Amino acid sequence: MAHPPTSPAGVNPDQALIHRFLTQPDTPLAIDSNPMARALGMRLLHADTQGRVTLAFDPDPLFIQGTDVLQGGAVAAMLDFAMAFATLAALPVGWSCGTVNLNTSFQRAAPRGAYMAEGVVERCGRSLAFTHARLQRADDAGHVVASASSTLALLAPSTGRP
């Protein structure tokens, strides 16, 4: 089993990966910082420090249900990743975040295939970030499969607490 890359002590490995991407933003980056991201075939396509990210997904068949569509939890996970990565991109190095709530709206079936998610930080305060995301098939621009909004707790570098 592959292990995630190491990052400096106290730095969220996902945030370290995002900051590595920001040094070469024109080169898509496979997300190998955690097992779920690898299983979802996640790649970082865009990130900025204003709290916007674009992620690509090519989910493993493990997430396909009997009706040949993605399981709802996998769809929600893709949206959650987009919002968390947008937040991590906007935070200073060393900070982290954790999902407090996640409200997902499924708008159509998500058939087997590649997907793109856009995550945006709407507002980032001292202890909470408010975000939203949209997920669509990579080959079907404009047809949103699901959308979500989330509140994330901001975690300070030394304590891991808001």
Side-chain angles (χ1 to χ4, degrees):
M1 174 184 219
H3 294 283
T6 58
S7 59
V11 174
N12 178 319
D14 292 328
Q15 189 188 49
L17 188 141
I18 292 165
H19 283 277
R20 190 171 83 223
F21 173 83
L22 290 171
T23 66
Q24 295 183 311
D26 296 326
T27 305
L29 183 62
I31 307 299
D32 59 359
S33 51
N34 68 69
M36 182 70 153
R38 285 192 300 274
L40 288 170
M42 193 166 126
R43 292 181 323 281
L44 181 57
L45 304 180
H46 169 82
D48 64 43
T49 57
Q50 303 305 306
R52 291 185 160 284
V53 298
T54 303
L55 302 173
F57 296 93
D58 190 9
D60 187 279
L62 165 75
F63 299 108
I64 301 298
Q65 295 188 87
T67 56
D68 211 33
V69 297
L70 287 172
Q71 192 270 346
V75 170
M78 290 187 272
L79 291 162
D80 188 38
F81 269 120
M83 293 180 287
F85 271 56
T87 303
L88 289 170
L91 292 174
V93 173
W95 281 72
S96 192
C97 61
T99 303
V100 173
N101 69 35
L102 174 65
N103 182 15
T104 306
S105 297
F106 300 95
Q107 296 160 12
R108 63 182 72 226
R112 182 186 308 256
Y115 287 84
M116 305 253 310
E118 294 178 325
V120 177
V121 174
E122 295 172 7
R123 187 171 88 68
C124 196
R126 282 185 245 155
S127 61
L128 296 173
F130 301 90
T131 64
H132 69 270
R134 297 168 13 125
L135 180 73
Q136 61 191 50
R137 286 181 54 101
D139 61 355
D140 192 13
H143 292 138
V144 175
V145 170
S147 60
S149 60
S150 181
T151 304
L152 294 101
L154 306 181
L155 307 172
S158 60
T159 65
R161 295 185 177 162

